[in-house]
Amino acid sequence: MLSLFQTCPRSKDSFPGRIVHCHDLRDASHFFRQNVLVIGGGRAAEDVALQLRKFGASSVSISARSRPLGLRWPDAVREVAPVEAVRGSR
């Protein structure tokens, strides 16, 4: 499963997974054993990624439009190239 924390306008309607803005994330354990994509390059994205991993997400990928955060991430957290669209079907 893939979850976005900010919207990807061109793919929002066809994305089959959950889309959650970081402001609305209340319990990171809901993503236990899931592969999660966090879109954003600020401190909120960093915080969300670390919370998701801490509470059991299998992996967390962080995609930002701007330059990478360049932090030393724990295992199973990584930065990936900017996401322009996500394909899927509802």
Side-chain angles (χ1 to χ4, degrees), residues 31-42:
F31 294 90
F32 184 73
R33 291 189 180 165
Q34 296 182 30
N35 299 313
V36 183
L37 172 64
V38 176
I39 297 179

Side-chain angles (χ1 to χ4, degrees), residues 54-70:
K54 177 180 176 181
F55 287 98
S58 294
S59 70
V60 181
S61 299
I62 303 169
S63 174
R65 283 187 300 210
S66 58
R67 62 183 171 79
L69 294 171

Side-chain angles (χ1 to χ4, degrees), residues 15-36:
F15 181 66
R18 288 177 61 186
I19 298 175
V20 181
H21 190 277
C22 64
H23 180 267
D24 299 319
L25 180 67
R26 300 288 180 250
D27 186 355
S29 67
H30 289 189
F31 294 90
F32 184 73
R33 291 189 180 165
Q34 296 182 30
N35 299 313
V36 183

Side-chain angles (χ1 to χ4, degrees), residues 62-64 79-83:
I62 303 169
S63 174
E79 293 184 52
V80 297
V83 172

